[in-house]
Amino acid sequence: IDRRVVHRRDMTYSYVVDSDVIGRNHDKENIIRLLVQQNPNNNDKSLSVISIVGIPGLGKTTLAKIVFNDRRIHELFQLKMWVCVSNDFNIKQVVIKILNSNKDSAHQQNLDMVDMEQLQSQLRNKLASKKFLLVLDDVWNEDLVKWVELRDLIQVDATGSKILVTTRSHVTASMMGTVPSYILEGLSLEDSLSLFVKWAFKEEEKRNSYLVNIGKEIVKKCNGVPLAVRT
């Protein structure tokens, strides 16, 4: 892979319409089970990190969204934060995004000129004495030093708190995770076809077996990748 190539994607957000998501209920329940269970290390007092890893387009972000918005997760964690990291793993910018999470645009602070000493103090105040869930979406960083620096800033009275990471890099997933990585697989052929029909056809067209059969042949070439099916 040519590391000089910079891949950019739109910043993600936590909102999702559950009815738009097909074929991920089993994965959702598995991730929620991991988030609910106690950290086997140190009586749940250390920060637990769960990594969802898979190739681009599999729906890692979508899976994280439906978990993040589940009622059980809302009841379990006092504070929920969503941060899109993408390819720029700048510690200061990630901390600023965490501080501004859960705020509407009118109340977000411009913290670019604030030094790290003040930022880390604000961060510790925000997280102190709270059981929190932090989603770090689309992480590319494979630098252990950077990750440890961020983790140490976040690990404030971490009893029961969790971080959910989505990444396409097995190195990143292994480096950050405190439990084995959750390897996201492609959709089944049946679920892929259901997704295709949802996006490709109007209601009256779904009864046209000729068109649906063409759709089946297209779906077979998508190898269970939701993004490919939708495209």
Side-chain angles (χ1 to χ4, degrees), residues 9 12 50-54 59-65 82-83 85 135-140 164-169 172-173 176:
R9 60 174 283 182
T12 64
I50 297 148
S51 298
I52 302 172
V53 62
K60 301 180 293 296
T61 296
T62 300
L63 175 57
K65 285 181 179 185
W82 181 282
V83 171
V85 180
V135 174
L136 296 175
D137 184 45
D138 193 34
V139 180
W140 291 56
L164 182 61
V165 176
T166 72
T167 180
R168 63 189 67 183
S169 165
T172 300
M176 296 178 72

Side-chain angles (χ1 to χ4, degrees), residues 89-196:
F89 197 87
N90 179 291
I91 302 295
K92 181 175 181 178
Q93 290 305 312
V94 174
V95 169
I96 289 172
K97 287 179 180 180
I98 295 173
L99 289 172
N100 277 327
S101 62
N102 291 339
K103 296 179 181 179
D104 59 42
S105 56
H107 292 91
Q108 289 193 354
Q109 299 172 276
N110 185 351
L111 299 170
D112 288 337
M113 302 305 292
V114 179
D115 64 37
M116 274 302 296
E117 178 63 22
Q118 292 174 289
L119 289 174
Q120 66 88 23
S121 178
Q122 288 188 41
L123 180 65
R124 297 177 76 83
N125 286 335
K126 177 168 183 169
L127 302 182
S129 303
K130 292 185 179 73
K131 184 177 180 180
F132 64 82
L133 170 65
L134 170 63
V135 174
L136 296 175
D137 184 45
D138 193 34
V139 180
W140 291 56
N141 174 59
E142 296 182 354
D143 185 336
L144 178 60
V145 174
K146 286 185 177 181
W147 162 236
V148 171
E149 183 180 349
L150 178 63
R151 184 196 64 195
D152 289 349
L153 289 174
I154 296 171
Q155 191 156 311
V156 181
D157 188 24
T159 303
S161 294
K162 301 286 197 299
I163 296 179
L164 182 61
V165 176
T166 72
T167 180
R168 63 189 67 183
S169 165
H170 287 270
V171 173
T172 300
S174 177
M175 177 182 72
M176 296 178 72
T178 58
V179 295
S181 302
Y182 189 84
I183 311 297
L184 191 60
E185 305 288 348
L187 296 178
S188 68
L189 186 60
E190 180 181 0
D191 286 333
S192 294
L193 183 59
S194 296
L195 182 63
F196 184 89

